[in-house]
Structures are given as structure tokens and as C-alpha cells.
Amino acid sequence: MAASRRAAFDTVGAVTWRLDEFERSLTSVASATLGAYRRDIAAFVAWCERAGITEPSRVDRLVLRRYLAYLTTRRYARRSIARAASSLRRYFAWLRRTGAIADDPARSLSAPKGEARLPRVLHADELHTLLDEPPVSTALDPQPLRARDDAVLELLYGSGVRVAELCSLDCGDVAVAARMITVWGKGGRQRRVPMSPPAAAAVRAWLDAGRPAMAARAARAGADDALFLNQRGGRLTPRDVRRILDRRSAAPTHPHALRHTFATHLLDGGADLRAVQELLGHADLATTQIYTHVSRERLRRVYDQTHPRA
């Protein structure tokens, strides 16, 4: 499916629909978001071409509503349909702004909201296993890799960084003595985030004893500046981080769960919501507010389980 959408984006009416120009205009979005826009608009263009609609000026609001209804009949998730509507709004707004169309048919286009899924938060025993009692070392898990894995997991939980942000860290972005890291987040926004004492100690151990053992491979792979390296000597990737969690976690755990746990634990401890927003690098406070729901759910469970008259 993804390959066919990419092909549509590359080949179907590219000049008429100005697809390449639209993609180049998205200079302030993360690579994952850019990929989502690309796939969504490619799928829409392919659907229009099959229906005999060969240029954006022939698209009206009814066409857009029919397309969203088509996605519903194909049993796309509500979150996916909501994202497609968002992509179409941005695309047609850009076409209107650049003079390609006279009116914007996607203005105020709505779609079912995605499911309100609360993020998963790790239990205390899961964190203990992950951070304090990792599995016994083996020949396939030598000490340099253990030191790296410790630092990766401590940073994900202790600083709440996104996995892509962690993988893009360079050695110069880390001030171990000051317990601070400089992170480049979504949209190229920079922020300074503190490290917890265990995270700082783990990063120091990795820099002192782990990374030097892999430095020769890093030089060959052109990753001299990368803070975290994989076994081939290249920069650590999000897939590599997922493999670390697969090895170290007692239950299936996504790297983002550590970020969720970081935010929820801060709020549980009385942190201000705007401070948590800054630490997470959220542009909109509304994005951070989901963690207040998680925190309240946890407090409610504690109340129900412990209050004698609950």
C-alpha cells in the first residue's frame, strides 16, 4: 500500500497537482510528518484520477467528503481518516495561497476524531526491571553495549526525549557536568533539557568506557559526532532503540512509553503543566494536557484501592 502511494505521488499528474512543490514547501515539519503528508495526498490524488478528476481546481467540498466516506468504507481507523483530513486541509490551503485554485474546498473540512487513547505508563516494577535489574549479560551483549543501553534508557525516562531526538544527539549536545542536553525537536525547535543524576552517570559511563571501544567503527561509518552508536559503528536508529527495549523489557514496550511515563510521573509529583510542556517540547499546551488525564486516572485508582469508604 505504501509503495503504491509513493508511486502515485511520483507519477500521477505530478505537474498538474504540483505535488513536488507542495512537498518542498513543508520545510518546518518532522520527517515522519512529511512522510504522512506525502502518503495521504498521494492516495487522494490516485483516488481522484481513478474518478476522472485530473486537476485540483475540479475538487470541491463534496468530492472531499466523498473521499473521506470512501476511507470509512475501506475500514480505515478514525485516527487515519482524521489525519487524512488534516493533510488535505494543509494541501488545499497551500494551493489557494499560491494561486493554483481560487477557493479552498478543504477549509473547515472535518473528520471523525481519533480514538482518545491514553498513553501507556510503565508500572514501578517494569521500570525497576528495565533500569535497575536488566537481564544478565551475555557474549552477545558485551559491556560497551550494556553501557550504551543503560544510557539510552535512562535518557528516555529521565529526560523524556523523543526517540528520534535521542538518536540525533551529538556528543557536543551533552553537558554531563551540568546535567543538561541540547535537543532538536519537531520543526527544528531547540530546547535544553535536564538529565536525571542516574542518566548523567550512565551517559558518563558510556562516554568514558563504552563509546571509545566502538570509536574506530564510528570513524569508518562517518558517525564521529554521534552520541550513540550501533554495533556497525553508525548512528543509533529508532529501530535499534526498539531492539534495546525488546532485549531489556519484561513486556512489549515502545520507546515512547518511557516519555509518557516521564511526563506522568512529573505531574504526579506536582510539576506545573507548562513546565512539563517545555520539557517535552510541545508547541501546544493542549498536547501536554492528555497527561493530566493519565495522572488523574492514576490518582483515582489509588483512591479507589486505598480509601476505606471508596
Side-chain angles (χ1 to χ4, degrees):
M1 180 68 75
S4 63
R5 290 180 187 175
R6 177 72 243 189
F9 199 86
D10 287 338
T11 61
V12 178
V15 175
T16 303
W17 293 90
R18 300 178 63 186
L19 302 179
D20 291 334
E21 290 179 65
F22 172 65
E23 183 174 350
R24 288 194 296 270
S25 76
L26 301 172
T27 57
S28 62
V29 302
S31 58
T33 306
L34 177 63
Y37 281 132
R38 180 189 301 132
R39 291 189 297 272
D40 289 341
I41 302 304
F44 173 71
V45 168
W47 179 85
C48 284
E49 292 281 338
R50 289 196 301 271
I53 301 170
T54 57
E55 57 186 46
S57 61
R58 295 181 57 189
V59 175
D60 57 20
R61 189 171 180 81
L62 180 59
V63 168
L64 294 173
R65 298 303 304 172
R66 284 175 176 167
Y67 178 65
L68 296 182
Y70 161 79
L71 295 181
T72 302
T73 62
R74 295 292 299 271
R75 298 191 176 182
Y76 278 68
R78 286 192 296 166
R79 289 170 65 91
S80 298
I81 298 174
R83 193 195 67 201
S86 175
S87 298
L88 290 168
R89 286 195 299 270
R90 182 148 187 172
Y91 172 62
F92 280 98
W94 175 81
L95 288 174
R96 172 68 180 83
R97 228 171 25 248
T98 57
I101 56 176
D103 297 303
D104 179 2
R107 188 178 63 251
S108 72
L109 179 68
S110 61
K113 292 184 179 179
E115 297 90 338
R117 294 183 299 175
L118 294 179
R120 167 166 141 72
V121 175
L122 301 185
H123 299 298
D125 58 339
E126 291 179 290
L127 276 176
H128 182 68
T129 299
L130 197 62
L131 302 177
D132 301 324
E133 290 188 352
V136 177
S137 179
T138 67
L140 298 176
D141 184 24
Q143 190 54 41
L145 291 184
R146 300 279 290 194
R148 181 203 64 188
D149 296 354
D150 288 343
V152 164
L153 297 175
E154 288 286 1
L155 270 182
L156 287 174
Y157 171 62
S159 297
V161 294
R162 300 176 178 93
V163 65
E165 294 170 345
L166 178 133
C167 293
S168 67
L169 286 173
D170 289 334
C171 293
D173 295 326
V174 180
V176 178
R179 290 202 288 113
M180 297 293 292
I181 55 175
T182 301
V183 177
W184 291 91
K186 289 185 176 180
R189 293 187 295 271
Q190 186 189 76
R191 70 185 190 279
R192 294 265 289 168
V193 182
M195 288 189 286
S196 67
V203 171
R204 169 56 66 199
W206 159 244
L207 289 174
D208 287 348
R211 195 181 185 283
M214 303 171 68
R217 275 176 282 177
R220 290 196 297 270
D224 286 349
D225 296 331
L227 175 62
F228 293 116
L229 306 171
N230 59 31
Q231 289 178 280
R232 299 175 300 281
R235 183 181 291 274
L236 199 72
T237 68
R239 180 170 293 181
D240 293 324
V241 176
R242 287 194 290 272
R243 291 193 185 107
I244 292 171
L245 276 164
D246 288 342
R247 290 198 303 269
R248 297 276 291 258
S249 181
T253 303
H254 191 277
H256 221 61
L258 289 165
R259 177 173 162 89
H260 296 323
T261 306
F262 163 82
T264 303
H265 285 179
L266 286 178
L267 290 169
D268 284 350
D272 177 75
L273 186 64
R274 289 199 176 273
V276 176
Q277 176 193 5
E278 289 294 323
L279 291 170
L280 293 174
H282 286 160
D284 190 344
L285 185 65
T287 308
T288 317
Q289 285 175 330
I290 188 169
Y291 295 107
T292 65
H293 300 309
V294 178
S295 188
R296 287 170 189 159
E297 288 282 331
R298 285 160 56 86
L299 291 174
R300 181 71 195 188
R301 284 199 303 271
V302 169
Y303 175 83
D304 289 341
Q305 292 168 6
T306 59
H307 194 281
R309 299 180 71 85

